Structure formats: structure tokens, C-alpha cells
Amino acid sequence: SILMHRRLFLYNFRNLRKAKGRRETYLCYVVKRRDSATSCSLDFGYLRNQMGCHVEVLFLRYIAAWDLDPGRCYRITWFTSWSPCYDCAQHIANFLRSYPNLSLRIFMARLYFCEDRKAEPEGLRRLHKAGAQIAMMTFKDYFYCWNTFVENREQTFKGWEGLHENSVHLARKLRRILLPLYEVDDLRDAFKILGL
């Protein structure tokens, strides 16, 4: 089935601050071709990590095999259960540089941090600098995913307790990560001037 089971979606995409036991990354995607003012959906579905290969790399291999027309513009939207690790962020950034006619939007349920807590934020900054639009999932995004990617048996999406608060908390955290480096340097200089 191209649709995800409800329990699978609710378990893996829940935006908990501490998501113990959730080791797999799921990626729901929509691929559209832009023709002037209109867009045409080409494909949608979901993927998950495979043994030894992260889901982001699987998707990049999948889309690279399409032999995209360099004269047309494409927009890809991802909804992921975790933000990309540092290595995957590098792969995605390189991919975007190779395909200037392709735009990528990534909506993430949770932020992933490995033991080296500096690597993943740097990866996200590089990915953002390469042109990817990065944001945390909100209720609206969960609602869209529920109606597009989930075998929901026509049940309406009901958010869980803490969905909004966790989205806001994670969005603030992401905003601090993506804060332009010159702003960080300006703050450091301001603190030095103030003797702090």
C-alpha cells in the first residue's frame, strides 16, 4: 500500500520532546512539476530507513533515477519523522546544488541530535544555505499528512496533547540553529562591549 497505517504514523511522527524507542525515520513525499503559474503532481508516497541506508539517501537515489528535465522546475515536499543527520544533510545539500531547477521543502516532526551535538545543527545550517526550506511540523502539516499519506478510514485527524506546545518549542530551537552566523557574531560582539 502506498498509504501508511494510522498507528505507524501516529507512533513515528508524534512530536515528543523525548522520543525514546523511535529509531527509524519515515519520510512522506510529494513531487510536483511547476509549469508557469500551475503545478502538476507527479508522485507521492512514503519511505523509511532500510538496513544501512538512511531514508533521505534512498529518496535522493529514487528521484535521481527519474532523469528530470533540466528545462523544467520541480518542487519536492518532505514530511519527516526526524530531521536529517549531518551526513544526510550534506548529501541533500550537494544534490540541490546539482539540480538548480529543483526546490525542496522539509517539514520535520522532531530534531535529531547525535552524540556530537554540534554536527547536526551545522548540517541543518548547510542544508538551509543550499536553498532547502526547513520547518517544524505544525497541526496543519499533520492534518495534511493524515489526509494524504495515511490509511485513515475517513477518520478526522485529532492532535495529541502537547502537539502545539511541542511544535512551538521545536520551531524556536530550529530558529536558533538557523540564526545567521553574522547575527551570532554581532551578539558576541555586543556581549564583549557590555563586558558580559
Side-chain angles (χ1 to χ4, degrees):
S1 171
I2 61 168
L3 296 178
M4 189 183 300
H5 192 279
R6 286 171 297 164
R7 280 179 292 190
L8 192 65
F9 176 77
L10 291 171
Y11 178 77
N12 285 287
F13 278 83
R14 196 171 293 249
N15 64 349
L16 304 169
R17 292 186 196 191
K18 304 248 186 229
K20 291 183 180 180
R22 289 162 173 85
R23 291 187 173 90
E24 291 187 303
T25 301
Y26 282 80
L27 184 154
C28 300
Y29 65 88
V30 176
V31 180
K32 292 185 177 186
R33 185 182 66 229
R34 308 261 320 162
D35 295 315
S36 64
T38 62
S39 65
C40 168
S41 281
L42 300 177
D43 195 18
F44 79 100
Y46 78 94
L47 300 167
R48 70 179 175 91
N49 287 353
Q50 298 297 319
M51 189 61 100
C53 190
H54 287 190
V55 70
E56 298 91 346
V57 174
L58 287 172
F59 182 87
L60 296 180
R61 289 177 185 166
Y62 170 69
I63 199 73
W66 281 29
D67 196 27
L68 298 172
D69 180 349
R72 295 194 165 209
C73 294
Y74 299 88
R75 184 173 77 187
I76 297 172
T77 305
W78 287 355
F79 299 91
T80 63
S81 56
W82 288 104
S83 62
C85 71
Y86 177 81
D87 290 339
C88 287
Q90 288 291 93
H91 286 299
I92 300 164
N94 292 337
F95 186 85
L96 290 174
R97 286 186 199 100
S98 300
Y99 291 89
N101 60 325
L102 188 146
S103 67
L104 176 64
R105 298 183 307 167
I106 305 173
F107 298 93
M108 307 166 297
R110 296 180 301 271
L111 292 170
Y112 171 77
F113 296 104
C114 201
E115 290 80 29
D116 178 6
R117 297 184 66 81
K118 293 179 183 173
E120 274 68 32
E122 181 56 31
L124 290 174
R125 283 189 287 271
R126 288 182 182 192
L127 185 54
H128 183 66
K129 190 175 180 182
Q133 296 175 356
I134 306 170
M136 300 310 300
M137 289 178 72
T138 64
F139 181 89
K140 181 182 81 170
D141 303 314
Y142 284 103
F143 185 84
Y144 174 80
C145 286
W146 181 261
N147 291 314
T148 306
F149 305 107
V150 178
E151 187 181 310
N152 61 37
R153 298 186 186 157
E154 303 201 16
Q155 289 183 353
T156 303
F157 176 72
K158 294 179 183 138
W160 47 86
E161 187 177 330
L163 184 153
H164 177 72
E165 293 81 3
N166 290 343
S167 288
V168 169
H169 171 77
L170 290 165
R172 285 182 182 144
K173 204 170 195 176
L174 178 62
R175 197 167 27 254
R176 284 193 302 270
I177 289 169
L178 298 180
L179 191 67
L181 293 178
Y182 66 85
E183 288 184 27
V184 172
D185 290 338
D186 288 349
L187 285 173
R188 285 188 188 128
D189 291 343
F191 285 135
K192 282 181 189 174
I193 291 169
L194 293 171
L196 300 174

